[in-house]
Amino acid sequence: MSNKEWPLYEVFIRSRAGLSHRHAGSVHAADAQMALDHARDVYTRRNEGVSIWVVRSSEIIASDPAESSAFFEPAADKIYRHPTFYEIPDGVENL
Amino acid sequence: MYTQGLDQKGEDAGRTAETAERLAAFQARIDAEEKIEAKDWMPDAYRRTLVRQISQHAHSEIIGMQPEGNWLTRAPSLRRKAILLAKVQDEAGHGLYLYSAAETLGTSRGQMVDDLLSGKAKYSSIFNYPTLTWADIGAIGWLVDGAAIMNQIPLCRCSYGPYARAMVRVCKEESFHQRQGFEIMLSLSRGSEEQKAMAQDALNRWWWPSLMMFGPGDSDSKHSAQSMAWKIKRFTNDELRQKFVDVTVPQAEFLGIRVPDDELEFDAESGHYKFGEIDWQEFFDVLAGNGPCNRQRLQKRQRAHNDGEWVREAARAYAEKQRRKAAA
Ligand SMILES: [Fe+2]
Ligand SMILES: [Fe+2]
């Protein structure tokens, strides 16, 4: 029976207007509409959401954690991108 | 809950092709309270331990719907029925959050379900006891969910991110479960003599099995030390059991019912309750499949699964038809 398992969908929920969708978990479903229905029943029984996205798990492209130090390395030495890099003399305001 | 540490076989702690450096780097991340995420490198034994624990936990939520489901059609009022229905639905949800977390470790949902249905996988011993009266529904919410909360709150800080996040969701829902159970016990214990006797009888039957939910004593719990080192577990079985006794005994006193333990007494020096010896033979018998309801629970789950096969098949066929239509 397991080889005929319904596909897996990742579930993202916007908890209220003004906030981004956030990953909540996953559900199995035969199709996209059923995935939305299951996501509603599993993850929003207490009004935790005003909008749901589902996407087939197999469609997600993710960065590789084993490569993450090399992947994110270019940002590591550019401390001048942060305002704290700059020294502002006492007496200068609104900057 | 229901992570009892049910399989007590020793694991060779990831002695495959894993280098000492990798293991040390992994442990350093754990020690620094970093969360481990699904795609991160992890020792095989860590992965196996988690798959076993999370799937057992999921199975327990699913099987755990049965004892309470038994009273859905006989709840004493519409209010009680609506509450119980919502509670049982939550338990289904807990099972699904947990299967979802376990799947991130690379074991398919189908595999886990097959293991439950074949009797290979274990689930918490507590759900192999029968619910004989309505008071049992009160006792389950109050004691079983109470014990589950004790066990689950530290799991919100488990080192494995997907499990920890699932547990945060679960814990948010549990306190309603415990309160509705306590409310049932309160109504009964303030009711007629017969109702009071029902509440007492339920406590008599559920007290000891609830204490067993925390798993074997620390001296017999072979997994504990490694799970603590990996920060999957934060407290030992005996520590959690003691906490549970300490918070629950005063609640029983408030209800005016008696905890069925002649050796129970408050020890002013330590600030804890001392309690009697647990019948571990009973615990191991239930785990081995010989509790009052083991066979019934498994058969019911198998039947539900088989009876649903045509629905799953029809949904697949419909989805396939829609796909073909859309492509045409
Ligand atoms: Fe639960
Ligand atoms: Fe619960």
Side-chain angles (χ1 to χ4, degrees):
Chain A
M1 51 193 111
S2 357
N3 54 348
K4 286 192 288 175
E5 205 169 2
W6 288 339
L8 190 64
Y9 289 80
E10 297 302 318
V11 176
F12 300 83
I13 293 171
R14 186 201 298 286
S15 56
R16 57 189 158 83
L19 296 179
S20 309
H21 286 74
R22 194 170 167 197
H23 186 242
S26 62
V27 292
H28 284 273
D31 58 34
Q33 183 58 47
M34 189 193 277
L36 281 174
D37 293 343
H38 284 180
R40 176 202 57 196
D41 294 344
V42 175
Y43 292 104
T44 65
R45 285 191 303 286
R46 289 174 176 77
N47 297 314
E48 289 96 336
V50 295
S51 160
I52 299 178
W53 290 347
V54 291
V55 59
R56 283 281 285 265
S57 306
S58 56
E59 297 294 317
I60 290 189
I61 297 153
S63 62
D64 179 357
E67 305 289 321
S68 74
S69 42
F71 189 69
F72 293 107
E73 192 275 332
D77 60 353
K78 298 181 179 58
I79 50 172
Y80 44 81
R81 282 179 171 156
H82 299 277
T84 45
F85 176 76
Y86 302 92
E87 223 168 275
I88 305 298
D90 284 350
V92 180
E93 281 171 22
N94 300 317
L95 197 69
Chain B
M1 91 156 259
Y2 315 114
T3 55
Q4 263 172 341
L6 300 175
D7 291 330
Q8 297 294 321
K9 289 184 212 88
E11 302 254 356
D12 49 318
R15 233 165 268 130
T16 44
E18 292 154 4
T19 65
E21 296 100 281
R22 276 194 128 172
L23 289 170
F26 179 80
Q27 191 60 49
R29 290 189 64 194
I30 300 271
D31 293 343
E33 295 289 335
E34 269 184 51
K35 294 287 179 205
I36 307 301
E37 293 294 341
K39 296 281 175 343
D40 294 352
W41 184 87
M42 62 187 84
D44 278 347
Y46 178 82
R47 184 185 301 275
R48 279 200 305 274
T49 299
L50 279 169
V51 168
R52 186 183 54 227
Q53 176 168 334
I54 303 171
S55 62
Q56 281 175 357
H57 194 161
H59 299 329
S60 302
E61 304 282 355
I62 297 298
I63 297 288
M65 289 190 282
Q66 290 186 35
E68 289 176 296
N70 184 36
W71 280 90
L72 276 173
T73 58
R74 292 177 288 161
S77 69
L78 188 56
R79 176 179 183 272
R80 292 286 187 216
K81 183 175 182 169
I83 290 171
L84 185 58
L85 194 56
K87 200 252 184 202
V88 172
Q89 283 175 331
D90 276 353
E91 305 302 0
H94 296 177
L96 296 175
Y97 306 155
L98 287 159
Y99 283 130
S100 163
E103 278 181 292
T104 64
L105 292 156
T107 303
S108 75
R109 176 93 48 121
Q111 183 61 54
M112 291 184 273
V113 169
D114 285 353
D115 287 349
L116 173 64
L117 296 176
S118 72
K120 186 179 161 212
K122 295 205 163 72
Y123 57 85
S124 179
S125 55
I126 193 77
F127 301 118
N128 292 310
Y129 291 86
T131 41
L132 304 177
T133 74
W134 172 251
D136 289 17
I137 301 307
I140 288 182
W142 172 41
L143 300 173
V144 176
D145 289 85
I149 291 171
M150 218 39 105
N151 191 287
Q152 288 173 157
I153 284 177
L155 287 171
C156 296
R157 295 188 293 128
C158 161
S159 61
Y160 187 58
Y163 191 24
R165 293 192 288 273
M167 292 321 300
V168 169
R169 240 169 233 292
V170 168
C171 284
K172 276 188 190 157
E173 301 179 352
E174 288 291 4
S175 99
F176 139 60
H177 297 177
Q178 195 187 18
R179 285 184 181 195
Q180 65 85 35
F182 189 79
E183 194 192 71
I184 292 171
M185 294 303 276
L186 194 60
S187 306
L188 291 172
S189 63
R190 288 181 176 168
S192 66
E193 279 311 307
E194 263 175 308
Q195 287 172 316
K196 246 191 120 160
M198 263 171 72
Q200 180 64 59
D201 169 61
L203 175 59
N204 292 348
R205 285 180 291 107
W206 290 93
W207 175 255
W208 290 105
S210 298
L211 295 193
M212 294 176 200
M213 284 176 70
F214 297 93
D218 293 349
S219 49
D220 299 311
S221 181
K222 294 172 197 122
H223 275 319
S224 247
Q226 181 56 268
S227 284
M228 301 273 283
W230 278 330
K231 299 195 177 173
I232 294 172
K233 261 178 109 131
R234 299 276 176 170
F235 298 98
T236 69
N237 296 350
D238 285 336
E239 284 168 346
L240 291 168
R241 189 168 11 245
Q242 183 66 56
K243 276 193 191 191
F244 175 73
V245 171
D246 288 345
V247 304
T248 310
V249 171
Q251 294 167 356
E253 280 166 5
F254 183 90
L255 291 172
I257 49 182
R258 183 186 166 274
V259 172
D261 179 353
D262 293 336
E263 290 170 54
L264 187 75
E265 62 173 336
F266 187 70
D267 177 41
E269 205 175 303
S270 66
H272 296 295
Y273 283 89
K274 286 189 187 156
F275 54 96
E277 184 65 28
I278 290 170
D279 179 359
W280 290 112
Q281 193 51 49
E282 174 180 329
F283 172 73
F284 290 114
D285 286 346
V286 175
L287 270 197
N290 301 316
C293 300
N294 295 57
R295 269 168 280 272
Q296 182 190 333
R297 299 287 185 245
L298 202 56
Q299 274 167 14
K300 195 161 186 178
R301 187 88 282 281
Q302 287 161 343
R303 204 182 328 125
H305 187 82
N306 295 336
D307 289 353
E309 179 56 32
W310 72 271
V311 180
R312 293 190 294 278
E313 187 53 49
R316 267 191 298 268
Y318 177 76
E320 186 49 41
K321 189 171 147 193
Q322 295 303 111
R323 254 191 301 277
R324 275 202 306 271
K325 260 195 193 162

